[in-house]
Amino acid sequence: MKHPSSLRPLPPELRSELAQRTEGEELVQVWELLALADPVAGSPEASQVWERVSAEIAHGRPMLTPSEPIRALTPPAARSIPVRSHPRWRQAAPWALAATLVVAVGLSAWQSLPVTREAPLGQQRMVTLPDGSSVELNAGSSVRYTRGFRRLAGLARGDRRVTLDGEAYFAVVRQDRLFTVTTDDAQVRVLGTEFLVRAHRDDLDGTRVAVQSGRVRVSANRADVETAVELGAGQGTFVASNASAPGIVEDVSVDRLAAWRRGGFWLVDQPLLAIFRELERRYEVDIRVRDVVVGEERLSVYYPERPSIETILSDLCTRGGLRYSRTSRGFEISAQTERPVTP
């Protein structure tokens, strides 16, 4: 087996293009591993394959385009000329075909594997999807999809599908293929638009959808017959846990619902415990409720700019007749202590 330093490096053009891609470094590692496993990696035939890769790039052909199957990296002119007119190519053809096939199948299979992107607690993250669409994840949220929106190696899916756990703002590039967001309770289908989806599994409050621009179609996962609603800009709906149909369509303020994108904090019609859970995600703290019966009253809170967590806790506790105190890991919520009566 050859030492990595003795292997011929990637052509500068290919390395430059891979450097512009999110998974470029991983692809370089895949190619180098294949070269190490090949007993003729430094042979003249291998050099000919590299020359053809470089020629492909020089002709301006796209490399590793997610929406298209990977093609054999041979110039068009070489395909149209009979093999017998190129005796050197005829000798190298078996090795070149095998190498191209291994790389094409390997990269196509790699692109069909699922990938998960997460926003850690207390942080937000921007994710660029294979089609150029963007997903802005709120703290404690994750999105899962196949690297090339592929169902099998080299075969594009019928739609662009992602699975969401948490809260995210989507800006979808318009294409002929549908873009589908799947949660535990619902499916949201669009062609190209901007919208917000909130669906934390631990909230048990279902899926909420709000549209900034364009139109989306929302349906419940557990419906025997699909009953969907369509939303336009400035409209929203929700699909409750285990529901067979979405709820009513209502006018919403997407800017307020997505206040977290600007550092703000807004929750609508949520029980107090759900608000505490959201504070844990946003501020990466632990909030313990001790010896307090928190009622089923639902609250709405709105802070347009990033408030301190103590500001929010103070407002919530004042309204609920509670008190909060700091702990080594975060905060503790308890009942207010009664002041002694002065005689």
Side-chain angles (χ1 to χ4, degrees):
M1 180 177 295
K2 296 180 179 294
H3 189 275
S5 61
S6 67
L7 301 174
R8 183 163 181 171
L10 284 168
E13 300 89 344
L14 180 56
R15 185 177 291 276
S16 175
E17 178 161 343
L18 289 176
Q20 305 302 315
R21 299 180 177 271
T22 304
E23 303 89 352
E25 184 177 347
E26 298 177 47
L27 289 173
V28 172
Q29 294 175 359
V30 170
W31 183 269
E32 290 176 348
L33 288 173
L34 287 172
L36 285 171
D38 189 347
V40 292
S43 67
E45 290 84 355
S47 299
Q48 291 183 21
V49 173
W50 282 123
E51 291 171 3
R52 291 183 177 276
V53 171
S54 300
E56 187 77 7
I57 298 172
H59 278 78
R61 296 188 176 276
M63 300 295 296
L64 306 175
T65 303
S67 59
E68 298 179 0
I70 296 178
R71 300 186 297 273
L73 302 179
T74 55
R79 300 191 191 102
S80 61
I81 299 176
V83 174
R84 61 176 178 275
S85 63
H86 288 73
R88 291 184 179 179
W89 172 245
R90 182 176 65 245
Q91 295 172 3
W95 182 90
L97 179 59
T100 302
L101 213 54
V102 167
V103 174
V105 171
L107 292 180
S108 294
W110 180 79
Q111 282 193 324
S112 68
L113 294 176
V115 59
T116 299
R117 305 296 187 197
E118 298 179 341
L121 296 176
Q123 300 180 37
Q124 296 168 8
R125 182 175 184 181
M126 180 68 75
V127 176
T128 300
L129 299 177
D131 65 340
S133 299
S134 63
V135 184
E136 190 172 352
L137 293 172
N138 199 358
S141 302
S142 66
V143 65
R144 188 175 71 252
Y145 56 92
T146 55
R147 293 182 185 274
F149 281 143
R150 299 179 187 277
R151 181 170 44 208
L152 296 172
L155 298 178
R157 297 188 63 95
D159 61 354
R160 300 167 285 168
R161 184 177 296 272
V162 303
T163 301
L164 173 69
D165 176 18
E167 186 171 22
Y169 186 89
F170 292 85
V172 178
V173 173
R174 177 169 289 276
Q175 289 186 2
D176 291 337
R177 288 193 298 163
L178 280 174
F179 186 100
T180 302
V181 180
T182 299
T183 71
D184 278 359
D185 306 292
Q187 293 194 43
V188 184
R189 298 184 179 94
V190 304
L191 286 175
T193 182
E194 294 189 23
F195 59 100
L196 178 77
V197 181
R198 178 182 173 86
H200 282 287
R201 290 193 179 102
D202 59 359
D203 275 355
L204 302 178
D205 201 35
T207 298
R208 292 182 177 270
V209 183
V211 180
Q212 177 76 354
S213 64
R215 299 192 67 81
V216 308
R217 183 180 179 88
V218 183
S219 59
N221 288 340
R222 292 166 178 78
D224 295 332
V225 177
E226 181 177 314
T227 303
V229 298
E230 289 195 2
L231 306 177
Q235 293 183 318
T237 190
F238 68 95
V239 179
S241 297
N242 299 314
S244 58
I248 62 173
V249 176
E250 54 188 356
D251 294 335
V252 297
S253 172
V254 183
D255 286 338
R256 286 196 172 192
L257 286 172
W260 55 267
R261 300 177 65 207
R262 306 182 302 274
F265 188 89
W266 192 31
L267 287 178
V268 180
D269 192 32
Q270 294 290 315
L272 191 55
L273 286 178
I275 298 176
F276 287 154
R277 281 197 295 269
E278 183 64 20
L279 289 173
E280 289 179 318
R281 285 189 287 262
R282 288 287 302 277
Y283 292 89
E284 195 178 3
V285 296
D286 179 69
I287 298 178
R288 179 185 175 189
V289 179
R290 190 190 68 167
D291 301 330
V292 176
V293 177
V294 179
E296 295 299 320
E297 179 186 7
R298 302 175 76 90
L299 307 174
S300 294
V301 293
Y302 176 52
Y303 299 85
E305 298 179 357
R306 182 177 178 88
S308 69
I309 186 171
E310 293 199 47
T311 296
I312 302 176
L313 288 176
S314 177
D315 292 344
L316 291 174
C317 288
T318 298
R319 177 166 180 170
L322 306 171
R323 61 185 292 269
Y324 72 92
S325 57
R326 278 192 171 275
T327 66
S328 60
R329 299 182 57 187
F331 297 89
E332 183 175 86
I333 310 297
S334 58
Q336 284 186 344
T337 56
E338 296 184 3
R339 294 181 179 180
V341 178
T342 304

